[in-house]
Amino acid sequence: MLDLRDSFIAGAYIVAAVLFIFGLKRLSSPASARSGNRLAALGMLLALGATLLDRQILSFGTIAAGMLVGAGIGTYFARTVQMTAMPQMVALFNGMGGATAALVSIAEYLRLTSAGEATGAGETTSIVMGTFIGAVSFTGSLVAYGKLQEILSSKPLQFPLQRIINTVILLAVILVGAAVVMNRGGTAALWMVFAGALLLGAMFVLPIGGGDMPVVISILNSLTGLAAALTGFVLHNQMLVVAGVLVGASGTLLTLLMSRAMNRSVGNVLFGAFGATTAAGAAGTDAVALPVRQTTAEDTAIALAYARSVVIVPGYGLAVAEAQHTVRELATDLEKRGVDVKYAIHPVAGRMPGHMNVLLAEANVPYDQLLEMDQVNGEFAQTDVVLVVGANDVVNPAARDDPSSPIYGMPILDVDKARNIIVLKRSMGHGFAGIENALFHHEKTRMLFGDARQSLTEVGQALKLV
Amino acid sequence: MSIELVLGIYVFILAMFVGFEVISRVPSVLHTPLMSATNAIHGIVVLGAMLVAGAADTPLLHVLGFVAVVFGAANVFGGFVVTDRMLEMFKKRQTEKTDA
């Protein structure tokens, strides 16, 4: 039987688990999403509070110090990060969770072995797997962070014998891990599993292109959930198992939904090394001869001012230039002139699904002006001017027309059907997929080169003089 | 196998089904906030870090426990706050916000 204290802890855990489930449920609909997140946060607070009553805890000094530092760092970064840098922030927090799971597994192993307690094979297996998965998630997330933050090249990084080397490391880790489970090798072997997994995590994400990072982060997210659940087996704590598995399962489903939005299979994302081989050939042959028609801010302003309907297609270029407010101001000025302005949002525009909606909502763009891909694609033929702001792959007609293109089959915005197309872009550089975009060479297309915010400001000024 | 492990496996499998079912229909607009929220929830692992740090009896375990609690707490607090900031953008706006 449990005494009063243990019963209270168990009860609090059950309530917390229910709050997590209801929180996730409410997060599936825009109207209730915010309350869902707060419900889950409440559940977390309850679970953490109840844990403090656990008899296994002998001293609170280390916990208090760690909590203070960790909560301070987490809250500070979460509050100050730019909306545009949100995806890499999620990656970073995910990596920290992975590291926690690995460290908890290792620490518990050290405690058990030094205390001379007998550990079952089930527990030791959980320890080895928790260490492995947590460490993979840690370095994998750090690399994903580096790619999105552009500390590392967002291009797929490949080197010879990559797969063979990865396989060898993986096999070695499995062997050493098996030795730990069979009580041979001890702590040194577990540290080796940890080190090998750290290496594998980085090697696993490095060859994946920046465009696929949302899917990768989602996978790593569900892996961290799994690692957390495994620590629950080690510590005999059902709260960890429930919450960890909830994340592992919903994260897996989310990964599938995301890759479906991009019309790619998860396997293709992970092992396709997208764009590294095909793009080199395509870019080399086509890029040289094709003409590009440039335009000026003044001409763009005139084209927009005399259009009846304008559709703005925001992409990652808008996000990096933080041009969401400038584009909204331009749209408001156009509306005052009687121009019908809409925004076309591709499901994977920006770097995460929903990223663009968040940015434009931040700039007070009304909901009813945001059109999803299916709504807007029929309208392009009646659109006078499409203004593409820093989007590339999501408007590449090759995805629709060219079966040899690596992005063939990805649903795109059919902007090439519009009467005029103006593309704001930093340079003729490639998008995330690293491939040539025929839209930029189309006879209806005019290019306005420069930083998106700078260009939009100039267009806005020119518009006042029209 | 201990009875606790068997129970754990039960919980694992049932929670897996709940996890799949609970978010089966989610619009793509919410993919990022949902990922961010689940990211915060797996920060629950800080609970394990607390147990380890609280029971630590060697300097090495104290260090491991401390680092684990720091990372885990950053995951939890940062995760929920960042998700809240994302979702804040979805609420109805009454007042015009000035440009930063």
Side-chain angles (χ1 to χ4, degrees):
Chain A
M1 279 299 289
L2 297 174
D3 65 9
L4 190 64
R5 192 200 279 219
D6 288 334
S7 311
F8 178 78
I9 296 175
Y13 281 171
I14 292 171
V15 175
V18 172
L19 286 173
F20 284 154
I21 293 169
F22 274 105
L24 281 177
K25 183 84 202 158
R26 295 184 75 84
L27 271 158
S28 313
S29 146
S32 59
R34 201 172 185 207
S35 70
N37 185 51
R38 294 190 161 179
L39 269 188
L42 185 69
M44 182 64 74
L45 219 56
L46 186 64
L48 296 189
T51 305
L52 287 174
L53 298 175
D54 195 299
R55 280 206 185 76
Q56 198 184 326
I57 296 177
L58 304 173
S59 66
F60 290 91
T62 312
I63 298 177
M67 273 288 169
L68 224 57
V69 175
I73 293 174
T75 314
Y76 174 77
F77 279 110
R79 285 191 160 277
T80 51
V81 64
Q82 292 286 328
M83 271 296 162
T84 45
M86 224 47 122
Q88 49 267 52
M89 208 65 228
V90 175
L92 201 59
F93 290 140
N94 181 56
M96 290 179 172
T100 310
L103 293 176
V104 168
S105 302
I106 294 173
E108 188 61 11
Y109 185 75
L110 295 180
R111 196 184 70 79
L112 288 172
T113 45
S114 73
E117 284 180 42
T119 48
E123 279 77 7
T124 338
T125 310
S126 303
I127 286 173
V128 171
M129 283 171 65
T131 307
F132 177 77
I133 297 175
V136 165
S137 179
F138 176 53
T139 47
S141 300
L142 287 188
V143 172
Y145 169 83
K147 286 194 174 223
L148 288 173
Q149 191 71 24
E150 286 170 8
I151 299 168
L152 299 169
S153 161
S154 75
K155 291 208 185 71
L157 188 82
Q158 289 183 301
F159 50 87
L161 302 177
Q162 197 164 25
R163 283 191 191 174
I164 298 173
I165 293 173
N166 284 356
T167 315
V168 170
I169 302 175
L170 182 65
L171 286 176
V173 169
I174 291 174
L175 277 177
V176 177
V180 177
V181 174
M182 289 182 291
N183 285 321
R184 302 216 182 110
T187 50
L190 190 64
W191 284 111
M192 277 164 69
V193 170
F194 182 61
L198 288 177
L199 191 61
L200 266 183
M203 303 269 277
F204 163 71
V205 179
L206 277 172
I208 302 174
D212 288 325
M213 278 310 129
V215 178
V216 172
I217 295 173
S218 183
I219 292 171
L220 294 172
N221 182 40
S222 51
L223 281 182
T224 309
L226 188 59
L230 287 165
T231 62
F233 284 129
V234 181
L235 297 165
H236 301 303
N237 186 312
Q238 308 299 357
M239 181 78 248
L240 284 171
V241 179
V242 172
V245 173
L246 273 180
V247 175
S250 59
T252 306
L253 189 63
L254 195 57
T255 310
L256 296 175
L257 291 175
M258 277 187 186
S259 30
R260 201 177 302 154
M262 294 194 234
N263 201 24
R264 313 257 326 268
S265 76
V266 177
N268 190 339
V269 169
L270 294 184
F271 306 109
F274 198 131
T277 46
T278 32
T285 48
D286 301 347
V288 198
L290 290 167
V292 169
R293 297 166 191 81
Q294 280 202 50
T295 186
T296 60
E298 289 73 22
D299 288 344
T300 307
I302 291 169
L304 292 172
Y306 292 104
R308 265 173 305 140
S309 56
V310 170
V311 173
I312 298 171
V313 179
Y316 190 69
L318 177 134
V320 271
E322 286 162 35
Q324 63 269 36
H325 297 280
T326 324
V327 82
R328 200 258 305 147
E329 282 161 23
L330 182 67
T332 314
D333 286 347
L334 286 172
E335 283 179 316
K336 283 187 192 138
R337 291 170 176 263
V339 182
D340 177 44
V341 183
K342 293 275 194 294
Y343 298 80
I345 314 285
H346 190 277
V348 296
R351 289 214 174 155
M352 289 256 179
H355 195 187
M356 277 303 139
N357 302 68
V358 172
L359 288 181
L360 292 173
E362 187 200 10
N364 290 320
V365 172
Y367 275 130
D368 53 5
Q369 289 188 2
L370 302 182
L371 299 182
E372 292 195 14
M373 184 169 62
D374 299 337
Q375 293 170 290
V376 77
N377 263 348
E379 288 189 19
F380 280 120
Q382 288 88 47
T383 302
D384 291 324
V385 180
V386 166
L387 191 65
V388 178
V389 187
N392 189 346
D393 299 326
V394 297
V395 294
N396 191 342
R400 189 185 59 217
D401 304 331
D402 177 8
S404 70
S405 168
I407 60 168
Y408 180 69
M410 180 174 93
I412 57 154
L413 293 164
D414 296 325
V415 296
D416 54 332
K417 303 231 167 90
R419 299 196 181 96
N420 296 285
I421 304 144
I422 298 170
V423 179
L424 272 58
K425 215 172 167 307
R426 273 181 294 191
S427 66
M428 278 307 285
H430 292 150
F432 254 180
I435 54 173
E436 195 63 24
N437 190 340
L439 179 76
F440 303 152
H441 307 292
H442 198 286
E443 55 181 12
K444 290 191 290 192
T445 305
R446 299 290 177 273
M447 305 293 291
L448 182 57
F449 289 116
D451 171 80
R453 182 154 65 164
Q454 187 65 33
S455 297
L456 285 167
T457 310
E458 284 169 17
V459 172
Q461 283 161 354
L463 189 67
K464 293 192 170 63
L465 304 173
V466 175
Chain B
M1 260 203 313
S2 66
I3 187 76
E4 278 153 323
L5 193 65
V6 177
L7 274 178
I9 293 170
Y10 263 108
V11 172
F12 187 98
I13 290 171
L14 293 178
M16 204 167 76
F17 281 100
V18 175
F20 274 122
E21 286 301 317
V22 79
I23 63 145
S24 52
R25 276 165 192 260
V26 49
S28 63
V29 189
L30 282 175
H31 282 180
T32 301
L34 187 62
M35 171 162 35
S36 180
T38 52
N39 176 42
I41 291 176
H42 70 49
I44 189 76
V45 69
V46 72
L47 194 154
M50 287 162 68
L51 293 176
V52 164
D57 49 8
T58 67
L60 178 61
L61 282 179
H62 271 292
V63 171
L64 284 180
F66 176 74
V67 176
V69 173
V70 169
F71 278 168
N75 183 186
V76 168
F77 285 86
F80 280 117
V81 172
V82 100
T83 314
D84 195 60
R85 271 189 66 197
M86 281 183 208
L87 293 170
E88 195 181 5
M89 305 301 170
F90 286 91
K91 71 164 192 268
K92 296 259 186 296
R93 284 161 297 274
Q94 287 92 22
T95 50
E96 186 81 355
K97 212 172 69 178
T98 47
D99 221 329

